Amino acid sequence: MTHVPTAAPEPVLDHPAVQRVAAALSAFGVRGTITVLDDAARTARQAAVALGVDPAQIANSLVFKAHRPGGAEESLLVLTSGAHRVDTVKVADLIGLETVERADPQFVLEHTGFPIGGVPPVAHLRPPATLVDVSLARYDRVWAAAGHPHAVFPTSYDELLRITGGQPAEVA
């Protein structure tokens, strides 16, 4: 069953994380409006069902622990199509890292300021290095999280590159 987004309930749009994303999007000149979903969309599949789109049109914001040669650890944001699984070995090799591993919820919250399921591509507490899945370029419109499991916004591949300063990459 497809759930079409309805009028935005005030609490979600007033949530501080969503407000932070809205301010960042406005500062970048993003025209897409934050949409509030009836149900939480913590996965690409859930978001796609709620929006009536293909899961490949969901730009998942996945946070990884990136280990630099010599042991330094930092966050890495990979914006990937909801149809893909990130190949961490490929990503590590691509950008010269020793290893890349999926971050735990506490690491994600500490580095981004957002909980898993609502991590947007922008407005992070510590702006991470970012890779943007080239497969998202196939679509005129993709959807990304807006700081809350019920909030998303429409964007495009080119806009994701612009607003994140991300690097195009084949991540799957």
Side-chain angles (χ1 to χ4, degrees), residues 74-145:
E74 59 192 53
S75 63
L76 171 68
L77 177 65
V78 178
L79 300 174
T80 188
S81 165
H84 287 162
R85 284 197 163 268
V86 173
D87 181 333
T88 56
V89 173
K90 183 177 191 176
V91 166
D93 289 345
L94 178 69
I95 57 176
L97 299 169
E98 278 190 15
T99 61
V100 171
E101 63 184 273
R102 195 74 177 260
D104 62 63
Q106 186 62 34
F107 182 93
V108 172
L109 186 60
E110 286 174 8
H111 286 260
T112 68
F114 301 98
I116 289 175
V119 177
V122 296
H124 294 209
L125 294 177
R126 302 177 198 168
T130 302
L131 299 178
V132 182
D133 187 347
V134 296
S135 73
L136 293 169
R138 294 183 296 165
Y139 302 97
D140 292 333
R141 177 184 288 178
V142 296
W143 293 85

